[in-house]
Amino acid sequence: MDFSLSPAAQDATDRMWAFMREDVFPAEPEWAAYLREHGEHATPPVMERLTKSARERGLWNLFLPAVSGLTNLEYASVAEVSGWSPVIAPEAINCQAPDTGNMEVLHLFGTPEQKQRWLDPLMAGEIRSAFAMTEPDVASSDATNIETSIVRDGDEYIINGRKWWISGVADERCQIFIVMGKTEPGAGSYRQQSMILVPRDTPGVTIARHLPIFGYQDQHGHSEIVFDDVRVPAANLVAAEGDGFAIAQARLGPGRIHHAMRAIGMAERALALMVDRAGRRTAFGAKLSDQGVVRDLIAESRMEIDQVRLYVYKTAWLIDAEGVKAAQSEISGIKVAAPAVATKVIDRAIEVYGAAGVSDDTPLAYFYAWARVLRIVDGPDAVHRRSIARHELRRERPYTG
């Protein structure tokens, strides 16, 4: 395994860093000020300026290998840089969740008509989308529990159910939902589910509320949606009936690389802030950077970030070399490891900042909230540990003693 950056990855990463320093970081105060004045779910005009710059720099849709020419391993370094400003940067380069996963679904499984109607405007950044799977009344970490019904009625499907924590819905640009539900409850456990496209303005779709995370309202929202006798054309089905579980698995592999690397980017920024604070702050007659306890926090953070980055690189390399199925254990592993490391590093930075670390004067409080949430979204840590353990229990050992 060679994890050195290829010329293409180095070039993309260098251009991404230039974009961050020249455009993204300076835009953060303007972004925050606009939301304070116009509401938490408004769309700050500065984003139009950022996306224009990203396009001019060739930083657009880099997450999709078929479009960018970058492998998952090559894109990983770009995703990490975007994690330094995780609210603004991913969207600025059209590489934000959940749109990346939804674009992958449409790219891999969509019909020509579905691609023209929804994929093309998503890739152009003209609209946004949501992935509606999680439900309030069942443990959605086990996707076989999903209760939303998708019933065929002639040339239409009728959808009934309630979804929540559906990311992106509060954004007025979110125009299409990919909804996961059951088309055949009597089939095998992994053939009951299907995915279907539901436009936002379809009669019977109600946005019930936008849910906060640790008191924060995400700009794009995490929402509860009610589907009450919602009718859509049968042509809106993605792939075939019963393919929903397989589509979900294909969708989550590369997406977890992106999430993990953005988490590492957040951790790196937290470490940079920690080091800066330690060098400027004096307590008990010495700079914090001279205090042994603070040096321990810095050293532990450096080692943990570098270890988990290599883990993610290995996973990306394995997906590129052998496909998502061959990397299932590693995909689960990085989903647990990267947010856990980010949470620890951000927490240490907060410790060094003291009260300032839990205020809005730094991004650390928001980073901490989001890093902790990453340990739940796309499957909680316990579920992924279960998958890793099952894989290990089946693994053949060269020697047991």
Side-chain angles (χ1 to χ4, degrees):
M1 302 178 192
D2 181 3
F3 297 150
S4 60
L5 294 183
S6 69
Q10 186 66 65
D11 174 63
T13 303
D14 290 344
R15 284 185 282 116
M16 189 66 195
W17 266 122
F19 178 54
M20 296 292 287
R21 294 188 182 102
E22 295 167 15
D23 292 329
V24 175
F25 294 137
E28 288 179 340
E30 182 179 348
W31 174 277
Y34 189 89
L35 294 181
R36 285 194 298 269
E37 181 178 351
H38 297 276
E40 296 160 318
H41 304 302
T43 302
V46 68
M47 182 52 67
E48 184 176 350
R49 187 171 77 239
L50 292 174
T51 56
K52 181 176 184 293
S53 177
R55 286 174 180 270
E56 291 171 350
R57 296 171 185 265
L59 298 169
W60 194 256
N61 293 329
L62 297 181
F63 73 95
L64 195 60
V67 173
S68 68
L70 298 177
T71 65
N72 286 291
L73 178 58
E74 289 173 328
Y75 173 67
S77 58
V78 178
E80 177 181 341
V81 177
S82 73
W84 282 65
S85 187
V87 179
I88 300 176
E91 181 182 353
I93 62 174
N94 211 39
C95 293
Q96 68 283 350
D99 294 309
T100 50
N102 294 337
M103 286 187 270
E104 286 171 333
V105 166
L106 291 168
H107 175 75
L108 292 172
F109 303 102
T111 64
E113 292 76 17
Q114 291 170 351
K115 291 178 180 179
Q116 182 180 22
R117 178 68 183 87
W118 302 113
L119 178 59
D120 290 350
L122 279 169
M123 296 199 66
E126 296 168 356
I127 64 171
R128 293 202 60 176
S129 62
F131 184 72
M133 187 187 85
T134 307
E135 298 181 2
D137 297 327
V138 297
S140 302
S141 55
D142 178 359
T144 63
N145 284 338
I146 297 302
E147 292 181 342
T148 294
S149 65
I150 303 174
V151 178
R152 183 74 181 251
D153 182 30
D155 293 332
E156 295 180 316
Y157 280 99
I158 305 173
I159 302 140
N160 281 284
R162 182 180 291 266
K163 303 287 187 178
W164 76 337
W165 293 107
I166 309 307
S167 300
V169 177
D171 192 315
E172 61 186 11
R173 297 165 297 171
C174 180
Q175 296 299 309
I176 186 67
F177 308 147
I178 299 181
V179 180
M180 187 165 177
K182 287 186 176 178
T183 46
E184 184 47 73
S189 296
Y190 301 106
R191 293 294 303 170
Q192 298 176 8
Q193 305 84 8
S194 299
M195 290 190 189
I196 197 161
L197 296 164
V198 179
R200 182 193 190 99
D201 60 359
T202 305
V205 175
T206 301
I207 312 302
R209 57 176 174 154
H210 304 307
L211 297 151
I213 293 175
F214 287 104
Y216 289 101
Q217 277 283 353
D218 183 75
Q219 190 256 325
H220 305 299
H222 305 283
S223 308
E224 185 170 349
I225 313 174
V226 178
F227 297 89
D228 184 12
D229 285 336
V230 173
R231 288 180 172 268
V232 298
N236 283 25
L237 192 72
V238 180
E241 287 191 11
D243 286 345
F245 197 88
I247 295 171
Q249 293 305 302
R251 177 185 187 276
L252 289 173
R256 286 183 178 138
I257 299 290
H258 310 162
H259 267 319
M261 293 305 294
R262 285 192 291 264
I264 292 170
M266 283 195 294
E268 285 283 10
R269 189 169 182 185
L271 178 54
L273 286 166
M274 190 192 322
V275 169
D276 179 69
R277 177 73 163 190
R280 291 186 294 105
R281 200 76 163 178
T282 298
F284 305 105
K287 286 187 176 180
L288 295 183
S289 57
D290 293 328
Q291 308 280 3
V293 65
V294 174
R295 290 192 171 203
D296 283 347
L297 298 178
I298 292 170
E300 287 293 332
S301 300
R302 177 75 278 148
M303 291 185 290
E304 289 172 356
I305 291 172
D306 286 350
Q307 289 170 42
V308 78
R309 179 187 290 108
L310 288 173
Y311 194 8
V312 181
Y313 278 179
K314 178 205 172 184
T315 305
W317 174 87
L318 195 55
I319 292 175
D320 290 334
E322 300 183 31
V324 170
K325 188 173 182 179
Q328 284 181 338
S329 178
E330 288 79 4
I331 290 169
S332 291
I334 64 170
K335 174 59 179 64
V336 175
V341 165
T343 304
K344 287 191 286 186
V345 174
I346 296 163
D347 185 68
R348 292 173 190 141
I350 290 172
E351 182 175 347
V352 172
Y353 268 83
V358 295
S359 74
D360 288 338
D361 288 354
T362 76
L364 293 172
Y366 180 83
F367 279 10
Y368 185 88
W370 187 238
R372 185 59 185 87
V373 168
L374 283 176
R375 297 169 64 184
I376 300 173
V377 299
D378 287 349
D381 286 1
V383 172
H384 289 290
R385 289 194 183 99
R386 176 177 178 268
S387 298
I388 296 164
R390 290 174 63 186
H391 183 86
E392 284 301 310
L393 290 168
R394 293 194 300 264
R395 189 192 297 271
E396 291 186 11
R397 308 290 169 177
Y399 180 71
T400 56

